[in-house]
Amino acid sequence: MECLNLLHMDMDQHWISSTLNLQSTQQQQQATTISMQTSLLDRQFLNNNKEEDEQDLQRQLPCEIVEEILLQLPVKSLLRFRCVCKPWLALISDPKFIKSHLHNHSTKQDEGDDDGKTRSSKALVMLSSSLSLLKSVHVQVLDTRIEAGSTEADAAGAARTTSTRVVVVEEVHESPMRHQAVQDMKIVGSCNGLLCLVLDSQDMMIYNPSTRQLQPVPPPPPPPPPTNNYYSGKDYFYGFGYDSSNDDYKIVRASCSSRNGNFATHLDMYNLNTNSWRAAIKTLPCYFLSNVVGTLLNGALHWVVRLAAAERPFSIVSFDVTEETYRYVPLPGEGDKNFSFYGLGVLGGCLSMLYSPHGSDYEVWLMNEYGVKASWTIFTTIPQKMESEYLGLMSLVRILNNGEIVILLHQRKLVIYNPGHRTLRTILSGDIHSSQLALYLETLVSPSAAPTIKTYSSSITPLNQAKAKASP
């Protein structure tokens, strides 16, 4: 009965919030209908006979309404609500429901919320720390429009202004390997709520932090032996993505070698569906330069590479996870000739790079039309020195709906940069010490196609409850 009461409270909270964002009349009518139906749950929960509750619930709430309500709820609630009744357990565990839930929440994350007065944008960042822990940081930016004639506008001395508030919730996740000492844990990929992790530079796993399900990955094949006096690099490059044609998740591991200006990069591939590796599925005539973790966009993984004996030796290689083919994507400006870029990533749904010229502002470049060199444009610039601090190494995380950018700075603090005011405000600092971060989406997606999934009941400990910080 306690679980049922929790269900009702969560459904009210999350459904009321979501219905505020429905725009069309048809959607509003549907929301009203569903809200009326949820009130029926209240009467059902007052009964003491659980078997009668389930029967009455099924009679009064059509299955499609129950499913529509549950699809709006977060993963943590759904994990608890599996114990309400067997039909709900079957529904929440159904692969079709899991895919629909993934689609709904990935769309919400991309679009954000806007009710006409307050615009909300969110980012969930997953960090791997020096303490071999996973740390998630929920960032929500609320922009409230203040109209002319209001008390707030009069106080601000403006006809219309915007008040911005940042809400940050930080959580630390215990290591998924509770029974194994781990000194180092790196995030080498994030896709649909699954993380690809490398432990102590050798063991690998696919892990869902929301459900705490994990799939150990068997050891990858050894790198090919050196041939024709090729020198093999010591570092591996990784990528993790989803094969939509085969409903499969894949890990790519790249090893590079060179000889007298000639390059060869061998790609090994792991398929989750078969839980096995395929060695050297492709050999690329290039050398990976940076971005140990491939950037996932449009179903392809991207790395910055150097080409052999070319007039313009620098480029981006794009590897299609489904087709297992590669192509080259041009760098901005003269970057393919005089390389001064780093920080390959995705901002606003576009491929992005950070240009670091000597003695002037950083430039944030976006490729507005994928694959077209002429579509690279400068989105904004960032001063190299702000508030007596040299920014130095940074990772651009996400563009928020209000145009601000979430940045990991110096591998030790998260900040938000306002391009209009050219200001920074720190939203999280302290013991981060991480160069490994990934945007993350909480989902029910299973890390294994096999029935033997290991699950650990490690707790999630809130480090600090929702901290609200007003912008300067």
Side-chain angles (χ1 to χ4, degrees), residues 1 11 16 34 49 74 92 99 103 148 163 169 181 214 225 263 279 281 331 361 373:
M1 182 58 65
M11 288 172 66
I16 290 172
I34 296 174
N49 190 309
I92 295 172
K99 287 186 178 181
H103 174 75
S163 173
V169 178
L214 66 86
F263 307 122
I281 61 166
L331 284 163
D361 291 351
K373 182 178 179 65

Side-chain angles (χ1 to χ4, degrees), residues 44-84:
Q44 297 294 332
F45 297 151
L46 294 177
N47 298 329
N48 294 323
N49 190 309
K50 182 176 180 181
E51 183 176 348
E52 291 180 2
D53 285 351
E54 293 183 11
Q55 294 174 355
D56 291 343
L57 186 62
Q58 294 301 319
R59 286 197 298 268
Q60 297 191 41
L61 284 180
C63 294
E64 59 271 17
I65 297 297
V66 172
E67 182 173 357
E68 184 65 30
I69 295 172
L70 293 178
L71 282 172
Q72 312 306 317
L73 301 182
V75 172
K76 291 179 182 178
S77 297
L78 293 175
L79 294 177
R80 295 199 306 270
F81 299 161
R82 291 180 301 183
C83 67
V84 171

